[in-house]
Amino acid sequence: MLSRSIDQHINLAVTGLSRSGKTAFITSLVNQLINEGNKSKLSFFDPVHQGNFIAAKRVPQKNYQVARFDYEGGITALTAKQPHWPEPTHGISELRLAIRYQPKSSLLRYATDMATLTVDITDYPGEWLLDLPMLKQTFEQWSDVTLALLKQAPRNSYAQEFLNKIADIDPFAPANEEQIAQLSAEYTQLLHQFRHELGLSVIQPGRFILPGELAGAPILEFFPYAGFDDIDLNRYQNADDTSFIGMLRARFIEYKESVVRKFYQKHFSRFDRQIVLADCLNPLNKGEESFADLELAISMILESYRYGQSGIFSRVFSPRIDKLLFAATKADHVTPEQHAPLVSLLNQLIHQSKHHISFEAIEIKTLAIASVKATSSGFIQHQGKKVPVIQGVTQQKFEQNDDAESSTNKQITLFPGAVPEKLPTQSYWQAQAFNFINFAPTQGLSKHECLPHVRMDQVLQFLLADKMI
C-alpha cells in the first residue's frame, strides 16, 4: 500500500494477439534491466543515461496462485547453440522486478539515497482479451455477432457445414449433451482453422483454443444459435436448462460470469500501465480480410480497458491505466527506412480507439520495435542503385521419418518489401503482394549480456522512467 501511494509500484500489462511476440518481449525487457552495464544498449532510457539507475533483479511475486513467467526458459531458448524463439504463452503468468535507483528530482531524494521501484509484469494470451466484450452481451446478441462473422468471407468457406448443422437444431427439444459436445468440438476446430490457416485475429471464445485448466469442462461446450428470428422469444425466455437452447444459454452465462468476469476482476482491474503488441506484417502477408480482422480485434481489446488519469487516491484504491504504448513488433524484419511507415500503419489501425482514448488525457505512444533483433541491415548495389536490405537466418521446418520435427537454417539477404503508410485500399491489395519473412534468432547470444534489440530502451523510457526521477 505504501509503495503504491508514493509511486513506487507499477502493474504493467503486456497484451497482444498470438504471434505478436509477448514472450520474447518480456524476456528481453527483463534481460535489458538485469544486465544493464554489461554491453548495455539502453542509451535512450534516462535513468541509465543520466546515471541514477543502480541495478535490477527478479524477486518473488506476491500472487502465489498465478504461474511464474518462465524467464529462464525464454532466455535459454534465445541463447542456445541453435537458438529458437521461446514457446508462446498458453496461460497467465507473472514476474516481479525490483529496480534500485538514486532519486534526483522527486521528493524521495530528501528521504533516501536509494529507492526501489517494484514492477509487476503480467502476461496472458491475447485471445482471452477478446472474450471481454461478451460481458456486455446476452446469448442472443453474442450469437448474432458471431454468426455474422461466420457467414462472411473468409470464414464462410470453412463454416458452411457447421452452419447447416446448427440450423437444423430444435431449440426446445430436450438437450442432448453428446450432440452439444460434438458441435462444440466442431466449432472449436473452426476457431483453430481461422487462427492458424486463415491468420485471423478475432477468435471467440478465446478459452476454446487456449482452455488451460478448463480443458474438457462442459463450460467450454456451447456455440451460437442460428434461429432467433424464427422462435417465440417469450418461450425462449422461459426455456429451462434442460432444453437445447436453455443449456446453450446457461453455459454461455456461466462462461461469461465464472470465466470472463472473474478474469477481469482478478487481473484487469489492477493494471495501471499497458503495452499492446501487434504484428502487422503477418496479416499483410495473409491478405485484406486478415488485416481487417486484426483491426477489429484491436478495437475489441481496447474497448475493454479502463482508462483514466491516475491520481494518488485512485492509485491506492482503484488503479487505472495512465500510460498506453502501442508497439508494432518485428521491426527488424523490414529495412530501417520502413519503420516510420510501420508506425504510421499501426496508427491507422488503432486510429478510432486512440482518438477516443486521447480525450481521457492518457499519455499514448506508438513505436516500431524488435524485442530481440534477428537481422542486420545494410545496402547492396542493384542495377547501379543502392538498395536497402536486411540479412538474417530463416528457419524452415520439416518432418522426419519418425514424425519428429526438425529445421534447417538458411541465411538470406533481401529487400523484404515496402510497408504501406496507410490502410491499404482494395486496389492496393490487388496490385501489391506482401512476402515478409520470419527470421530465427541470431547465434552467439549470452544470458549475461543485453540482447540486441530495436527501441527497447524507448519502451522502458516511456513505461518506467517517470517513476525513477
Side-chain angles (χ1 to χ4, degrees):
M1 178 75 76
L2 178 61
S3 67
R4 293 196 62 85
S5 64
I6 59 175
D7 274 341
Q8 290 291 92
H9 186 277
I10 290 176
N11 276 314
L12 173 62
V14 180
T15 184
L17 302 174
S18 283
R19 302 176 184 176
S20 60
K22 299 187 305 297
T23 307
F25 172 83
I26 296 176
T27 301
S28 178
L29 184 147
V30 174
N31 167 270
Q32 306 299 332
L33 290 170
I34 65 176
N35 288 313
E36 197 289 316
N38 192 356
K39 295 189 178 180
S40 175
K41 302 176 178 66
L42 300 178
S43 55
F44 286 95
F45 184 36
D46 282 351
V48 170
H49 180 68
Q50 297 173 2
N52 56 320
F53 180 98
I54 298 174
K57 66 176 182 178
R58 289 179 292 158
V59 295
Q61 67 196 63
K62 294 299 183 182
N63 191 341
Y64 299 148
Q65 298 181 15
V66 174
R68 184 179 59 215
F69 177 81
D70 187 14
Y71 172 77
E72 286 298 335
I75 196 67
T76 298
L78 292 168
T79 58
K81 185 177 181 180
Q82 293 293 330
H84 56 277
W85 297 111
E87 288 299 313
T89 302
H90 295 296
I92 243 180
S93 62
E94 292 185 3
L95 182 147
R96 172 170 279 203
L97 285 175
I99 304 174
R100 288 286 182 93
Y101 68 99
Q102 182 180 8
K104 291 187 175 182
S105 301
S106 68
L107 293 176
L108 281 175
R109 72 184 189 276
Y110 298 111
T112 180
D113 292 331
M114 184 170 59
T116 301
L117 173 66
T118 301
V119 182
D120 283 313
I121 303 170
T122 303
D123 171 41
Y124 40 82
E127 286 80 1
W128 293 6
L129 298 180
L130 296 176
D131 285 348
L132 294 182
M134 296 171 70
L135 292 174
K136 299 180 180 179
Q137 294 174 319
T138 63
F139 178 59
E140 307 96 284
Q141 292 169 333
W142 176 76
S143 293
D144 288 344
V145 170
T146 304
L147 288 167
L149 286 175
L150 291 176
K151 293 175 181 178
Q152 296 173 7
R155 290 178 174 86
N156 55 351
S157 60
Y158 286 73
Q160 192 56 56
E161 184 178 350
F162 173 76
L163 291 172
N164 292 339
K165 288 181 180 180
I166 63 174
D168 293 335
I169 291 173
D170 179 353
F172 300 111
N176 183 327
E177 285 198 87
E178 290 184 3
Q179 185 182 8
I180 289 177
Q182 177 59 37
L183 289 171
S184 299
E186 292 182 24
Y187 179 61
T188 300
Q189 180 59 33
L190 282 175
L191 295 180
H192 281 287
Q193 289 178 308
F194 296 159
R195 183 70 189 98
H196 299 293
E197 296 179 26
L198 296 178
L200 300 180
S201 302
V202 178
I203 306 298
Q204 198 186 65
R207 288 275 190 151
F208 277 40
I209 66 169
L210 290 169
E213 74 281 3
L214 296 177
I219 199 171
L220 299 188
E221 293 178 351
F222 64 91
F223 47 84
Y225 174 66
F228 279 109
D229 290 340
D230 302 318
I231 65 174
D232 184 331
L233 292 181
N234 287 328
R235 189 179 179 191
Y236 164 69
Q237 295 294 340
N238 293 320
D240 62 33
D241 296 353
T242 62
S243 67
F244 212 114
I245 193 73
M247 183 169 288
L248 292 178
R249 179 182 60 195
R251 290 180 176 182
F252 170 85
I253 293 172
E254 183 68 16
Y255 180 87
K256 186 172 70 169
E257 297 301 322
S258 297
V259 177
V260 183
R261 193 177 301 280
K262 182 179 178 181
F263 176 56
Y264 181 88
Q265 292 173 341
K266 187 175 182 180
H267 300 287
F268 266 52
S269 60
R270 63 186 177 84
F271 297 144
D272 44 30
R273 295 206 169 168
Q274 173 189 326
I275 179 167
V276 177
L277 304 173
D279 174 8
C280 298
L281 302 181
N282 186 58
L284 282 174
N285 280 345
K286 292 288 187 179
E288 180 180 5
E289 291 154 344
S290 177
F291 198 78
D293 209 66
L294 173 63
E295 183 177 12
L296 175 60
I298 289 176
S299 175
M300 291 171 62
I301 288 171
L302 292 174
E303 287 177 1
S304 301
Y305 278 90
R306 300 174 62 194
Y307 298 106
Q309 283 288 60
S310 184
I312 187 168
F313 293 108
S314 66
R315 284 194 60 79
V316 175
F317 299 107
S318 182
R320 291 177 181 270
I321 292 168
D322 59 5
K323 281 198 170 191
L324 174 61
L325 175 61
F326 294 100
T329 60
K330 304 179 183 178
D332 58 327
H333 289 29
V334 296
T335 49
E337 83 283 351
Q338 296 299 317
H339 292 181
L342 184 58
V343 170
S344 177
L345 182 63
L346 180 58
N347 276 325
Q348 290 276 316
L349 272 171
I350 63 178
H351 174 72
Q352 291 182 343
S353 296
K354 184 175 178 181
H355 181 70
H356 174 73
I357 295 166
S358 295
F359 282 107
E360 302 293 332
I362 306 303
E363 191 174 354
I364 302 171
K365 190 175 182 66
T366 311
L367 288 172
I369 72 167
S371 305
V372 182
K373 188 179 180 184
T375 65
S376 57
S377 59
F379 293 88
I380 62 171
Q381 290 289 331
H382 179 68
Q383 296 180 349
K385 296 181 179 180
K386 289 179 64 176
V387 177
V389 294
I390 55 174
Q391 185 177 81
V393 174
T394 63
Q395 202 167 42
Q396 299 176 336
K397 294 183 178 180
F398 62 91
E399 290 186 359
Q400 297 175 320
N401 292 333
D402 59 359
D403 292 331
E405 197 175 67
S406 186
S407 63
T408 57
N409 294 335
K410 180 182 178 182
Q411 182 169 287
I412 61 171
T413 301
L414 79 161
F415 173 68
V419 178
E421 293 184 358
K422 298 181 180 180
L423 298 179
T425 62
Q426 189 168 9
S427 60
Y428 192 98
W429 287 108
Q430 293 171 348
Q432 179 74 38
F434 298 101
N435 188 27
F436 298 110
I437 296 173
N438 285 320
F439 291 92
T442 57
Q443 291 184 319
L445 302 179
S446 170
K447 292 183 179 182
H448 306 298
E449 296 178 357
C450 289
L451 296 168
H453 65 85
V454 177
R455 300 187 185 90
M456 284 297 289
D457 50 347
Q458 294 185 41
V459 170
L460 293 168
Q461 174 67 18
F462 182 74
L463 294 174
L464 304 182
D466 63 314
K467 303 302 183 185
M468 300 173 63
I469 58 176

